[in-house]
């Protein structure tokens, strides 16, 4: 396995070919590098690699020979014409802020040795990208790699924006060195050396600049390859991610048993089980989460035939698969696909469930700063939406596949720092909000319903866990209306304007008649796409035509005059 980028663990030889041009007047040095590090002339179709240790030796040797910033120089020579999927994927986002958000959420392939961070300083009208090493670099090569990663970021910007923009300032963990081409000349900005982390500062207006290569179809088409690359990267990765890489790259036998996966990872069965257990994970959870997510993608998003999905996921029969699908999503594959198409058959499969697009429609007050601790406040629309998305995100196979139901579970699973990083990335991707006036009454009703809960006798008699679950059901009750407005636009907005004057049951019936599904079916589809547990999906579906005492009580919260009476009769 290789990382095909300048900061990677093993570098493809083709990316080193500019050295032959750079050192053309120093043939003795080139021969020494070929002899001692394995450097070779090759063409751009050759994917052979130079291992990490050899590359470190090479850049340290060149540093001693008067080329102290050769790693940064190499990054800036990258030729996009030879094909590089990671770059094409990043360029397919519509704005720079969305690309940076992707780097914050999925950084390992691009920056395997450090943590990518992003900060906006509105006082200075600028933003900074930070690369902080996971471990303090003690070897010279490690500092030079960090320097190369900074230049790689600049090269990504240069190839993605309409024109080149030099940074305003640069910080480097490397020490100052003399050479024929100083770092400030390479990067086009003053450099502070011996910094605790690497950073570059740019004008803030670039965040909302449209990328000329922005294309949602390309983004969706490449995302699967990008995800597989993350899982198969040779960067330091958790065992669960390595295991997911094996699932995504079958060996042709379709054998995904514990024994087979352990063998592919170079482990024994008991070793794999014990190492997963030490991380609080189980093989069955990871495998189940992978099959759940893949089943939704293949059947609901891509419309693959059921029989082919049954075979792909290793089920013994169609009956066994459909039973698992119903357990996961509280519906059948056929109905789930039909509901998805009602939202718009021409919509890019992944784009419809994008949380950032939904977050932009929230009230202005929702766009204030938020961190992991703020996720508990479900009365804030942004907090409730983020909590739902991140609970599903953290339940994915690469995080262990264990279904998470509470925001405290989320913090325990990922850690507060990682949760804050994800929130920051999503808020960055969201950008300035564009609140929808037609949705304002919905947020107000949800906030009032949540505030009313503690005054209801039936709610106070519930155990703490049941109270938390009920609050989530109420907080996410109208999320489907948000999705339907985004997908269906003004026709749905007209119905929302009529809704305050109609009984709720009639509003939902009107939604089904006019659009083929109601907001709760849409909400269940969205929660399923995000990866939430089946009980959250089931509660959302039950709200469409409430019959159980629990569903009727929650429904009554959105008709205040009936809430207390129904709570009394339901005891």
């Amino acid at each position: 396995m290789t990382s095909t980028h300048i900061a990677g663990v093993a570098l493809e030889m083709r990316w080193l070919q500019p050295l032959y041009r750079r050192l053309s007047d120093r043939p003795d040095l080139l021969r020494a590098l070929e002899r001692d590090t394995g450097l070779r002339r090759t063409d751009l179709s050759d994917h052979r690699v130079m291992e990490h240790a050899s590359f470190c030796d090479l850049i340290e040797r060149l540093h001693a020979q008067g080329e102290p910033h050769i790693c940064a120089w190499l990054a800036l020579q990258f030729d996009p014409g030879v094909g590089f999927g990671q770059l094409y994927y990043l360029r397919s986002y519509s704005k720079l802020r969305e690309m940076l958000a992707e780097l914050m959420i999925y950084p390992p392939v691009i920056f395997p040795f450090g943590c990518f961070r992003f900060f906006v300083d509105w006082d200075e009208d600028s933003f900074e990208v930070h690369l902080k090493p996971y471990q303090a670099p003690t070897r010279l090569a490690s500092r030079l790699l960090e320097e190369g990663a900074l230049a790689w970021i600049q090269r990504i910007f240069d190839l993605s924006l309409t024109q080149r923009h030099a940074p305003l300032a640069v910080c480097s963990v490397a020490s100052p060195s003399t050479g024929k081409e100083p770092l400030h000349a390479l990067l086009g900005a003053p450099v502070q050396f011996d910094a605790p982390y690497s950073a570059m500062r740019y004008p803030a207006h670039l965040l909302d600049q449209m990328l000329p290569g922005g294309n949602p179809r390309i983004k969706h088409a490449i995302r699967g390859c990008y995800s597989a690359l993350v899982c198969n990267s040779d960067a330091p990765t958790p065992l669960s991610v390595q295991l997911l890489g094996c699932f995504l790259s079958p060996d042709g036998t379709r054998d995904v048993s514990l024994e087979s996966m352990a063998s592919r990872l170079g482990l024994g069965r008991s070793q794999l089980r014990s190492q997963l257990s030490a991380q609080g994970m189980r093989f069955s959870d990871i495998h189940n989460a992978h099959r759940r997510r893949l089943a939704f993608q293949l059947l609901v998003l891509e419309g693959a035939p059921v029989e082919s999905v049954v075979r792909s996921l290793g089920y013994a029969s169609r009956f066994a698969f459909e039973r698992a699908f119903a357990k996961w999503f509280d519906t059948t594959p056929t109905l789930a696909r039909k509901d998805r198409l009602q939202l718009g058959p021409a919509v890019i499969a992944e784009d419809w469930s994008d949380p950032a697009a939904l977050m932009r429609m929230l009230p202005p007050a929702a766009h204030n700063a938020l961190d992991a601790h703020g996720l508990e406040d479900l009365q804030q629309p942004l907090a409730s939406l983020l909590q739902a998305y991140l609970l599903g995100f953290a339940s994915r196979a690469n995080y262990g596949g264990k279904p998470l139901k509470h925001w405290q579970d989320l913090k325990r699973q990922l850690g507060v720092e990682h949760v804050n990083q994800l929130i920051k990335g999503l808020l960055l991707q969201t950008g300035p909000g564009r609140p929808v006036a037609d949705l304002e009454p919905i947020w107000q009703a949800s906030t009032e319903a949540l505030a009313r809960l503690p005054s209801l006798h039936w709610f106070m008699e519930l155990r703490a866990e049941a109270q938390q679950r009920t609050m989530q059901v109420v907080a996410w009750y109208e999320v489907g209306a948000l999705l339907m407005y985004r997908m269906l636009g003004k026709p749905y907005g007209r119905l929302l304007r009529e809704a305050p004057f109609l009984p709720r049951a009639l509003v939902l019936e009107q939604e089904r008649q006019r659009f083929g599904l109601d907001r709760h079916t849409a909400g269940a589809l969205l929660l399923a796409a995000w990866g939430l547990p089946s009980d959250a999906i089931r509660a959302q579906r039950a709200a469409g035509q409430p019959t159980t005492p629990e569903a009727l009580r929650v429904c009554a919260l959105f008709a205040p005059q009936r809430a207390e009476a129904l709570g009394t009769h339901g005891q």
Side-chain angles (χ1 to χ4, degrees):
M1 294 184 287
T2 61
S3 291
T4 53
H5 53 83
I6 202 67
V9 178
L11 194 71
E12 289 187 5
M13 201 73 72
R14 56 182 176 159
W15 308 131
L16 300 177
Q17 296 310 295
L19 286 175
Y20 285 95
R21 182 178 76 250
R22 175 90 169 182
L23 304 175
S24 60
D25 59 344
R26 305 176 72 178
D28 292 342
L29 177 57
L30 277 172
R31 281 193 293 270
L33 292 174
E34 289 176 337
R35 180 187 68 243
D36 298 336
T37 68
L39 178 67
R40 292 288 181 272
R41 288 186 183 273
T42 186
D43 59 56
L44 294 177
S45 63
D46 191 340
H47 291 265
R48 287 180 297 175
V49 301
M50 175 181 286
E51 294 301 327
H52 174 60
S54 298
F55 183 62
C56 287
D57 290 342
L58 181 143
I59 59 178
E60 287 182 341
R61 176 81 68 90
L62 288 172
H63 185 280
Q65 294 292 326
E67 297 280 0
H69 308 298
I70 195 65
C71 201
W73 181 84
L74 276 170
L76 294 172
Q77 306 312 303
F78 170 72
D79 179 4
V82 302
F84 186 63
Q86 297 172 45
L87 178 61
Y88 292 145
Y89 173 68
L90 293 172
R91 293 171 68 185
S92 68
Y93 279 86
S94 61
K95 294 182 180 180
L96 184 62
R97 69 166 59 249
E98 296 177 8
M99 177 205 287
L100 290 170
E102 182 71 10
L103 290 177
M104 286 188 70
I105 297 172
Y106 295 107
V109 174
I110 307 291
F111 312 116
F113 297 125
C115 186
F116 181 84
R117 293 286 187 269
F118 172 88
F119 301 91
V120 180
D121 185 345
W122 295 115
D123 293 334
E124 295 291 333
D125 197 26
S126 64
F127 70 89
E128 281 191 1
V129 290
H130 286 198
L131 274 177
K132 187 173 183 179
Y134 293 125
Q135 298 177 342
T138 54
R139 182 177 175 178
L140 173 61
S142 299
R143 294 188 176 92
L144 299 180
L145 284 168
E146 288 284 329
E147 198 172 85
L150 268 188
W152 177 231
I153 294 175
Q154 181 168 334
R155 186 60 172 158
I156 291 174
F157 284 10
D158 290 346
L159 295 172
S160 302
L161 296 166
T162 52
Q163 62 186 51
R164 187 178 188 276
H165 293 269
L168 301 173
V170 177
C171 295
S172 173
V173 297
S175 299
S177 302
T178 57
K180 65 179 182 181
E181 194 169 15
L183 188 60
H184 68 81
L186 281 172
L187 300 180
V191 180
Q192 174 194 339
F193 289 99
D194 292 320
Y197 52 81
S198 302
M200 288 192 294
R201 183 157 53 89
Y202 286 89
H205 71 84
L206 295 180
L207 287 174
D208 290 305
Q209 190 167 108
M210 302 301 292
L211 303 186
N215 188 316
R217 293 187 180 277
I218 292 177
K219 179 177 72 173
H220 175 65
I222 299 180
R223 176 176 276 279
C225 300
Y226 183 77
S227 299
L229 193 58
V230 169
C231 296
N232 286 296
S233 169
D234 55 354
T237 51
L239 186 56
S240 59
V241 177
Q242 297 177 45
L243 190 56
L244 185 57
C246 293
F247 291 146
L248 290 169
S249 307
D251 60 2
T253 66
R254 297 189 183 277
D255 184 1
V256 290
S257 65
L258 177 62
E259 293 83 353
S260 174
M261 295 298 103
S263 175
R264 291 183 62 185
L265 292 171
L267 301 170
R269 170 180 173 150
S270 58
Q271 282 181 297
L272 177 56
R273 182 186 285 120
S274 62
Q275 288 187 26
L276 287 172
S277 179
Q279 299 176 28
M281 301 177 185
R282 297 187 306 175
F283 177 84
S284 58
D285 288 338
I286 297 171
H287 188 211
N288 191 55
H290 166 67
R291 294 208 289 185
R292 181 187 195 273
R293 185 167 174 78
L294 197 57
F296 192 88
Q297 176 184 328
L298 294 174
L299 280 167
V300 182
L301 304 186
E302 299 178 9
V306 176
E307 294 297 341
S308 70
V309 178
V310 171
R311 291 191 298 272
S312 297
L313 299 183
Y315 280 91
S317 66
R318 176 169 179 158
F319 173 77
F321 168 72
E322 291 190 335
R323 183 173 58 186
F325 193 93
K327 184 178 178 181
W328 291 329
F329 306 119
D330 196 45
T331 189
T332 67
T334 302
L335 288 176
R337 176 65 180 168
K338 175 178 173 292
D339 292 338
R340 158 67 187 85
L341 292 175
Q342 295 290 355
L343 290 171
V347 176
I348 303 304
E350 180 163 333
D351 188 55
W352 69 274
S353 61
D354 177 16
L358 302 179
M359 287 158 57
R360 293 187 193 106
M361 300 163 65
L362 297 176
H367 296 274
N368 297 330
L370 186 72
D371 61 15
H373 301 291
L375 291 181
E376 186 180 15
D377 186 6
L378 290 175
Q379 292 194 37
Q380 298 298 321
L382 180 61
S384 65
L385 201 66
L386 275 172
Q387 185 185 119
Y389 177 74
L390 291 176
L391 282 171
F393 183 89
S395 300
R396 294 179 184 178
N398 49 309
Y399 290 109
K402 186 178 180 180
L404 304 181
K405 298 183 178 182
H406 191 267
W407 71 283
Q408 292 284 12
D409 298 334
L410 176 65
K411 293 198 295 184
R412 280 193 294 269
Q413 180 81 354
L414 301 183
V416 172
E417 184 178 358
H418 191 183
V419 173
N420 283 333
Q421 181 184 358
L422 292 171
I423 292 173
K424 206 170 275 187
L426 287 166
L427 292 178
L428 167 64
Q429 188 173 345
T430 301
R434 294 189 291 274
V436 176
D438 290 335
L439 293 169
E440 287 283 353
I442 285 178
W443 306 128
Q444 184 178 351
S446 296
T447 301
E448 291 174 356
L450 283 165
R452 196 176 300 119
L453 278 175
S455 68
L456 298 176
H457 182 65
W458 63 264
F459 177 78
M460 298 308 294
E461 285 192 335
L462 297 175
R463 294 182 179 180
E465 183 179 346
Q467 286 186 352
Q468 174 63 30
R469 187 168 60 248
T470 301
M471 290 177 66
Q472 288 176 330
V473 170
V474 174
W476 304 337
Y477 204 67
E478 300 284 33
V479 70
L482 186 66
L483 177 63
M484 289 183 71
Y485 189 94
R486 187 200 168 207
M487 304 304 293
L488 303 171
K490 292 182 179 179
Y492 187 67
R494 286 194 290 271
L495 177 58
L496 289 180
R497 289 193 291 274
E498 300 170 9
F501 309 103
L502 300 172
R504 185 176 183 85
L506 182 56
V507 173
L508 298 180
E509 182 59 32
Q510 286 290 310
E511 289 177 349
R512 290 189 283 267
Q513 289 181 5
R514 297 188 197 182
F515 308 110
L517 75 170
D518 61 40
R519 66 186 69 181
H520 296 297
T521 301
L525 201 61
L526 182 64
L527 298 185
W530 286 353
L532 267 75
S534 55
D535 56 354
I537 300 169
R538 193 175 302 113
Q540 188 69 227
R541 287 194 185 280
Q545 294 178 318
T547 56
T548 65
E550 294 80 4
L552 288 167
R553 285 172 175 173
V554 173
C555 180
L557 286 168
F558 293 83
Q561 67 277 13
R562 298 180 57 226
E564 194 64 59
L566 188 59
T568 302
H569 292 308
Q571 294 173 36

